[in-house]
Every structure is written in C-alpha cells, then in structure tokens.
Amino acid sequence: MPPSSADGPERPRARGAYAKGIARRQEILDRAIEVFATRGADRTSLRAIASEVGVTHAALTHYFGSLEELLVAVYRESNAPGRHPEARDDATPVESMILSARVNREVPGLVQLYSALVASALEEGHPAAREFATDRFARLRASIAATVRQQQREGRIRDDADPEAVAALVIAASDGLQTQWLLDPDAPQHEALTLLDRLLRPTSGAEPRPPEDDRA
Amino acid sequence: MPPSSADGPERPRARGAYAKGIARRQEILDRAIEVFATRGADRTSLRAIASEVGVTHAALTHYFGSLEELLVAVYRESNAPGRHPEARDDATPVESMILSARVNREVPGLVQLYSALVASALEEGHPAAREFATDRFARLRASIAATVRQQQREGRIRDDADPEAVAALVIAASDGLQTQWLLDPDAPQHEALTLLDRLLRPTSGAEPRPPEDDRA
C-alpha cells in the first residue's frame, strides 16, 4: 500500500531525510494549491496538474499516495484556518457562507476541485474522496449546529428551528448555490443566501425598513 | 462530429430504418435507465454500463453520439413527466422536493448519475453535461419562481421573498441535502427540507400548535 500522508503524521525516518521530505511535500502542496487557485474552473487533468506543479507522477505518488489524496490535501490546506483572515467570529453561519462565496469567486479552480471531490465521493472506488467529504459534512454540521445553538440563546437565530436541520440546510444551500453560480454567473446566489439568513432571524423575516418608511 | 440525438430530432432516413432506429434507441435508453435505477450508487463505469445494457460501444456511439450524451438522455428520460405520478399540482416547491427526495431514495444510481453529470458540467470538455445542467437549472428556477409567484398571490408562500431567490434556494437545498444524505443516511435531509418549507410560509414559521396547547 502506498504511504498516505493525508491520513496522519508521516512515520519518522532519518531526521535529515524526514525534514527534507516534509519540506518537499509542502512545496508540492503549495505549488498545487497555486495551480488550482489561479486556473479557471477548467478540466482538472491529473497529468496536466503534475506537469504544472513540476513534479513527476512518481513523486506525487511518493508524497501523497495517490492523485486523489493530493487533491484532498490541496483542498484541505487551501481551506485551512488562517487562509481566510476575514472570517468574523460573530457572523451567523449564513453570513460566513456569504463571505466564503465571495472569496471563492476568486478561485473557481478550487471550487471546481471541491465539486469534483464530492462527486467522486459518491462513487465507489474513491476512498480518500469519500472519507474527505463524509468527514467534512459531519464536522461542518456539528460545528454549525453548535454556533446555531449559541446564537439561538443570544436571540440572533430563531429558536423554533432544530440546530442540526439548520446546519444541514445552510451547508446544502451554500454548496448548491455555488454550483448554480459556476454554471450561470447570473444565478441569484447572493440573493438566495441573504434570503436564507433573513428567514433564520428571530424577527421571522419582515423586511428591515428604514424608520422614515411609513408604508402600512 | 458524431450525431447527437440528444440535441434534437434525428435526421430523417429511409422510413423503415428510421422507425427501427428510433425503436432501438429507445430500447437502449430504457435498458440503461433500468441499469441505473436498480444499481446502487456505485461507480459508473461506462464500459460496465454498455456491458450491462447489452450493447456495443459502437452502438452507443451510433445512437447517442457519446456516452456522456447517453447519460444525459438517461437522466432526462428517467425524470420525464409521467414517471412521477405522485406529484401534486398544489404542492409548494419544497413539498415537491420532499416528494422527489423520497422517490430518489429508491434509485440511488440515478441520484449518483445526476451528481456526476453536474460535476462534469463544471469541467471543461463536457459540453453535453454542461448544456444539460445549465439548461436544467435555468428551466427549474424559472418554473419554480412562477409557482412561487402564484402561491404568494394565494397567500401560501410569504410575499416578502423574491421568487427567483426562493427558487434558487429551494433547488440548492434539495441538491445539497441529497448529497449529504447519500454520504450519510443519518443526515437530516427530511428535517432540513421541512424546515425550509415552514420558513417560507406566510405565518413566518411559528411552530403550528394544536388549539388545546396553551403555552405562552
């Protein structure tokens, strides 16, 4: 079985070789992220990626186990904390998704990579993609549900909605709207997300109106 | 360029050969739908499909132009009106999605096919999948927005929500929740859809309470 760096820390080797290996792995990863972030949402040919990253297929296999595992690592690393410095701690879950959507518009290659990983996860024979997607959805649902519970206590999200259902809905809406937007830039991605944010507020979604507005 | 039956009516040939060709094409299509509907959500190997359908790759190419076009035809035909006799005319858009989700649970192979087509549509080099997905989203958004407008007039959907945004949101939620459910049968797909249905009702989503319930 090829080594799988994505599944955990690498096994220790000779100290010098180990440090060098780690550095080389990170170098490949950084270059792959750059390739994805700067390319359009065009076809992800594995051979083309290896060529653009400037490594041999053998090196990719050595450091990542498989191309699929490299792709998972690219997506994970490109979404690691610290890469999105604008995220606000007090944002509602949908506000965070709106921010992500804005950031993602600049990196359609990474969005396309995400879609491809999720689609692969739904097929047999893609264990790394399946583990990535299943794990991502489970973690994200748990994390968002915790935020929803907290914000329900603070009166910022309506308290008659089940936090787990809200979390699944928010993730689904965000993913699905991103897909619609990639296929059609006129799809009302932002409008639909702000609508969902409003629907989840405790005011039950009456349009906020300026004080001077005296419509009935 | 191979003929593309999916793009429009076939060119007329000798009458007998034409009728026979139509019948053979439909036979292949029906068999392919059966293969997808009865298989699990496992890997869609094109060669395996051709083999299960019982046609040669040459015949697939002759009748459908390409495997991608066959897959689009399979999905379109399996979702053609009449294949879902339970659909109610007076259902809200989310209620229709809840019904679809129930039907789709019985045919994970078709759901996986849909995901694969949409993921392909996001990559370059898949014109049939891209046309299918772009067209499907545009038509579905327009159709659902029209229903939303009608149901807003009838007081069944809150009238402070933009119909286009509602349509995009409902489709996104439905697609995204289906993906989460395929990866994890415990994902709250049904709960999230019923929540969305409730949020879009004009009552602004207070939990319906029985008359004898006298909680404050």
Side-chain angles (χ1 to χ4, degrees):
Chain A
M1 214 188 317
S4 168
S5 306
D7 290 337
E10 301 195 12
R11 286 196 198 88
R13 282 173 276 168
R15 188 173 300 271
Y18 180 69
K20 200 172 153 195
I22 291 280
R24 180 60 183 140
R25 183 182 187 277
Q26 188 63 44
E27 194 178 56
I28 295 172
L29 191 51
D30 286 343
R31 179 70 190 120
I33 290 169
E34 199 183 317
V35 166
F36 272 95
T38 55
R39 74 193 293 149
D42 53 352
R43 176 154 183 75
T44 307
S45 146
L46 308 183
R47 226 155 263 290
I49 293 163
S51 152
E52 279 195 65
V53 171
V55 288
T56 60
H57 190 80
L60 280 189
T61 306
H62 173 73
Y63 287 110
F64 296 92
S66 68
L67 183 64
E68 188 177 312
E69 286 172 278
L70 166 66
L71 296 182
V72 168
V74 163
Y75 188 81
R76 281 194 203 276
E77 176 95 3
S78 66
N79 283 273
R83 292 226 178 211
H84 296 291
E86 301 167 79
R88 277 170 36 217
D89 281 347
D90 65 338
T92 64
V94 183
E95 284 174 337
S96 297
M97 292 299 185
I98 291 171
L99 177 64
S100 293
R102 189 148 53 79
V103 171
N104 285 344
R105 281 171 186 240
E106 305 304 318
V107 286
L110 285 174
V111 176
Q112 185 248 316
L113 170 61
Y114 172 73
S115 301
L117 284 174
V118 172
S120 296
L122 299 180
E123 301 178 350
E124 289 300 326
H126 297 266
R130 178 166 292 227
E131 189 197 333
F132 157 74
T134 306
D135 180 65
R136 179 179 179 274
F137 284 127
R139 279 173 197 260
L140 205 48
R141 279 199 301 265
S143 150
I144 291 178
T147 302
V148 169
R149 260 179 231 108
Q150 172 65 28
Q151 295 189 348
Q152 283 177 326
R153 283 193 292 271
E154 295 164 2
R156 302 178 60 213
I157 291 185
R158 52 193 306 154
D159 61 7
D160 62 352
D162 173 59
E164 309 290 340
V166 172
L169 179 60
V170 168
I171 297 163
S174 172
D175 283 4
L177 288 165
Q178 190 141 269
T179 299
Q180 291 181 49
W181 172 77
L182 275 174
L183 289 169
D184 176 4
D186 291 331
Q189 180 189 30
H190 184 76
E191 293 79 355
L193 284 175
T194 54
L195 169 64
L196 180 58
D197 195 49
R198 182 160 65 84
L199 294 175
L200 290 169
R201 301 277 181 173
T203 50
S204 304
E207 290 274 14
R209 286 174 183 171
E212 68 273 25
D213 185 337
D214 57 5
R215 283 177 293 173
Chain B
M1 212 188 319
S4 168
S5 307
D7 289 337
E10 301 195 13
R11 286 198 198 87
R13 281 175 277 169
R15 188 174 298 271
Y18 181 69
K20 198 173 155 196
I22 292 280
R24 180 61 183 139
R25 182 181 187 278
Q26 188 62 45
E27 194 178 54
I28 295 172
L29 191 51
D30 287 343
R31 179 71 190 119
I33 291 169
E34 199 183 319
V35 166
F36 273 94
T38 55
R39 75 194 290 147
D42 54 351
R43 176 154 181 78
T44 307
S45 146
L46 309 183
R47 226 155 263 288
I49 293 163
S51 152
E52 279 195 65
V53 171
V55 288
T56 60
H57 191 79
L60 280 189
T61 307
H62 173 72
Y63 286 110
F64 296 91
S66 69
L67 182 64
E68 187 177 312
E69 286 172 277
L70 166 66
L71 297 182
V72 168
V74 164
Y75 188 81
R76 280 194 203 276
E77 176 96 3
S78 66
N79 283 272
R83 293 225 177 211
H84 296 291
E86 300 168 79
R88 275 169 36 216
D89 281 348
D90 65 339
T92 63
V94 183
E95 284 174 336
S96 298
M97 292 299 185
I98 290 171
L99 177 64
S100 293
R102 191 148 50 80
V103 171
N104 286 345
R105 281 172 186 238
E106 305 304 318
V107 287
L110 285 173
V111 176
Q112 185 249 316
L113 170 61
Y114 172 74
S115 300
L117 285 174
V118 171
S120 296
L122 299 180
E123 301 179 351
E124 288 301 326
H126 297 266
R130 177 165 295 226
E131 190 198 333
F132 156 74
T134 307
D135 180 66
R136 178 179 181 274
F137 284 127
R139 280 173 196 261
L140 204 50
R141 278 198 302 263
S143 150
I144 291 177
T147 302
V148 168
R149 260 179 232 108
Q150 173 64 30
Q151 296 190 346
Q152 284 177 325
R153 283 193 293 271
E154 295 165 1
R156 302 178 57 214
I157 291 183
R158 53 193 304 154
D159 61 7
D160 63 352
D162 174 58
E164 309 290 340
V166 172
L169 178 59
V170 168
I171 297 164
S174 172
D175 283 4
L177 288 165
Q178 190 141 269
T179 300
Q180 290 180 49
W181 172 78
L182 275 175
L183 289 169
D184 175 4
D186 291 331
Q189 180 189 28
H190 184 76
E191 293 80 355
L193 284 174
T194 54
L195 170 64
L196 180 58
D197 194 50
R198 181 159 64 87
L199 294 175
L200 290 168
R201 302 276 180 171
T203 51
S204 304
E207 292 273 14
R209 286 173 184 172
E212 67 272 26
D213 186 336
D214 57 6
R215 282 177 294 176

